[in-house]
Amino acid sequence: MIIKKTSEQIEKMAEAGKILAACHRELRKLIRPGLSTIDIDHFVDDFIQSHGAKAEQKGYKGYPFAICASVNDEICHGFPSPSPLQEGDIVTIDMVVNLDGWMADSAWSYPVGKVSEQAEKLLKVTKECLYLGIDKAVIGNRLGDISHAIQVHAESHGFSVVREFAGHGIGNKMHEEPYVLHYGNPHTGLKLCEGMVFTIEPMINQGSYKLIMDENGWTARTADGRLSAQYEHTIAITKKGPLVLTEQEGVESFLDMYISLK
Ligand code: MF3
Ligand code: CO
């Protein structure tokens, strides 16, 4: 069942998204060689709590941390660790903010110091995949339009789209219907309506999309050991187009913009 959100509910999720976006903007400044992902986990947990919210991933289905921190060949759900990040690594930080019961979810991949040209290209193309998907998130389009735009862009650069994980509806729960694949055919799937809120979160691999699972039962990594990147936003479908609730640029003006849309 797809639970459409009222504008009041979307406004609450936007408040959660604003905290989340501010946290990612801090991480952009913070992440450097020598810092560990457990340091990042503590920073994020404190940041979210100090804004009166809760890091929803902690304890979710037994997940032990505030963030997922996926380094290099780790695709998603990487466990934060005390070993220092190295110059040239890429790391994806994923988090969910719960503010008074309403959620926002956003993951971002960061370069650690100077990274290879190939890694930079993977980050750039993966971010473009996210925004090309968002462009298709308009009333009357179908989910497959989002999926297809992402797949075409990734594959046109020789990269591949991870199959096992999808975007998802979100609201007063972290995961709801619909599920948003990042590969597929245009003009297929659910028709998008005003009030739907879901994530788009492509995981893009440098090599094959095949993955293997770690023994911790959570962490997925590339089977070929090559790099994987991910960018994720929470978006609302509105009459005026997709509204990115976790946008990092211009978040101060976000609520004004939202109010002007009503
Ligand atoms: N934030 C993740 C998502 O994009 C969920 C992570 S699973 C958890 O769907 F257990 F870590 F919460
Ligand atoms: Co996420």
Side-chain angles (χ1 to χ4, degrees):
M1 191 186 61
I2 290 154
I3 307 164
K4 288 181 201 155
K5 275 72 189 182
T6 65
S7 50
E8 288 74 22
Q9 291 169 336
I10 291 173
E11 218 162 315
K12 288 183 183 156
M13 295 175 77
E15 288 286 357
K18 198 169 157 179
I19 295 167
L20 205 168
C23 188
H24 270 309
R25 283 187 304 181
E26 291 304 310
L27 293 184
R28 201 189 299 174
K29 293 181 262 173
L30 200 69
I31 290 175
R32 60 181 189 280
L35 191 74
S36 76
T37 48
I38 201 78
D39 295 333
I40 299 173
D41 184 73
H42 294 151
F43 174 85
V44 168
D45 208 7
D46 290 348
F47 185 96
I48 293 173
Q49 281 186 49
S50 73
H51 287 76
K54 181 176 162 260
E56 184 70 9
Q57 291 189 161
K58 208 176 187 169
Y60 178 81
K61 296 190 176 170
Y63 186 77
F65 302 98
I67 60 166
C68 300
S70 306
V71 182
N72 294 335
D73 62 320
E74 292 174 339
I75 294 169
C76 66
H77 307 163
F79 279 15
S81 103
S83 61
L85 290 165
Q86 310 276 320
E87 178 105 28
D89 286 344
I90 61 171
V91 59
T92 302
I93 307 297
D94 190 3
M95 66 185 89
V96 177
V97 169
N98 175 342
L99 181 68
D100 301 327
W102 293 93
M103 318 276 168
D105 185 357
S106 176
W108 214 252
S109 290
Y110 296 93
V112 179
K114 178 105 187 87
V115 302
S116 70
E117 245 171 67
Q118 284 205 333
E120 236 166 61
K121 188 183 159 201
L122 179 67
L123 295 177
K124 177 171 181 284
V125 170
T126 305
K127 197 190 287 181
E128 288 166 354
C129 283
L130 170 60
Y131 281 92
L132 287 167
I134 291 172
D135 273 350
K136 299 288 183 191
V138 297
I139 293 172
N141 268 0
R142 291 176 184 272
L143 281 180
D145 296 315
I146 299 173
S147 314
H148 185 70
I150 291 168
Q151 182 178 17
V152 165
H153 191 62
E155 291 178 357
S156 75
H157 288 276
F159 299 141
S160 68
V161 178
V162 172
R163 303 303 202 246
E164 283 85 350
F165 300 95
H168 50 89
I170 180 167
N172 55 11
K173 292 206 212 70
M174 188 195 298
H175 292 139
E176 295 177 356
E177 288 179 39
Y179 290 91
V180 184
L181 298 177
H182 304 109
Y183 64 98
N185 297 317
H187 317 304
T188 64
L190 181 79
K191 221 178 204 178
L192 303 181
C193 303
E194 188 178 12
M196 289 180 178
V197 182
F198 53 78
T199 71
I200 302 177
E201 49 177 304
M203 281 151 256
I204 306 298
N205 292 355
Q206 204 178 23
S208 157
Y209 60 72
K210 294 216 176 84
L211 62 75
I212 48 174
M213 293 300 296
D214 279 7
E215 277 174 10
N216 66 22
W218 281 98
T219 309
R221 62 179 73 236
T222 60
D224 59 14
R226 300 185 73 193
L227 299 176
S228 185
Q230 181 187 23
Y231 292 88
E232 171 186 27
H233 273 314
T234 297
I235 62 139
I237 306 294
T238 78
K239 278 198 194 90
K240 297 273 178 82
L243 200 52
V244 181
L245 304 184
T246 45
E247 187 54 80
Q248 294 168 33
E249 312 301 335
V251 286
E252 275 73 32
S253 64
F254 173 78
L255 283 179
D256 297 338
M257 179 178 105
Y258 179 72
I259 285 155
S260 76
L261 292 177
K262 286 204 287 186

